[in-house]
Amino acid sequence: MNNVAYDDVIRARLKLWFVPIMDNPGWRSNLVDVQAEQLLAWGMAQVEQTAVRTQRLPDEDATPLLQKDSTAVHLIMAGVNDLIGTIGKPPEFDLVDDVMTRLLKNLRWLTNQPLRPDNLRRVSEFNQARDTEDREAAFQHLLALIQT
């Protein structure tokens, strides 16, 4: 197969596995447009990496990998959105901790790697920004946290 055919495979897989994420409003309801665009770019890059990594595999072999990664990406994006949604509300630390724990577990699931040592610092920075109700700083700390 030539490169054009591989590019078509990547594009088709992105359309199949990423467009449904974009069409689901649950990942962006608490974000301003600029934040949503940044999170969307992150998510697309993650699914695209999997599409590139699986481009030479037949669909039946690529599908489980794409399904796993696109599901993890969707859950991480929804977690970021949910965490931003807690800002300015009475502190429900169990809820915040629970959502953060799920986000970190989904990040481990996506990357198949242990969490990085700086993740604890990023979580702390998010919590500080959340406490001061600085939505933009909180979002940027979450975005830095999920960068792989």
Side-chain angles (χ1 to χ4, degrees), residues 20-30 74 81:
I21 294 171
M22 290 181 355
D23 291 346
N24 181 330
W27 66 269
R28 68 156 294 145
S29 58
N30 296 311
H74 179 256
N81 180 64

Side-chain angles (χ1 to χ4, degrees), residues 44-131:
M44 183 165 356
Q46 301 310 306
V47 176
E48 186 174 23
Q49 284 178 13
T50 305
V52 168
R53 201 172 62 244
T54 62
Q55 67 185 332
R56 296 190 188 319
L57 296 177
D59 285 342
E60 61 270 9
D61 294 335
T63 294
L65 299 169
L66 286 156
Q67 185 173 23
K68 172 192 137 334
D69 287 0
S70 64
T71 299
V73 164
H74 179 256
L75 292 171
I76 291 166
M77 291 170 68
V80 167
N81 180 64
D82 291 347
L83 285 166
I84 294 300
T86 67
I87 296 173
K89 294 189 173 151
E92 295 178 48
F93 290 105
D94 290 346
L95 172 68
V96 174
D97 290 344
D98 185 48
V99 174
M100 182 63 77
T101 298
R102 283 196 322 266
L103 185 140
L104 293 171
K105 284 181 177 181
N106 286 315
L107 187 59
R108 283 185 52 208
W109 186 39
L110 174 66
T111 63
N112 296 314
Q113 297 174 13
L115 296 174
R116 296 186 323 255
D118 67 337
N119 283 8
L120 195 54
R121 179 177 53 84
R122 299 280 187 206
V123 170
S124 177
E125 290 168 341
F126 162 77
N127 285 328
Q128 289 171 3
R130 184 187 179 285
D131 289 344

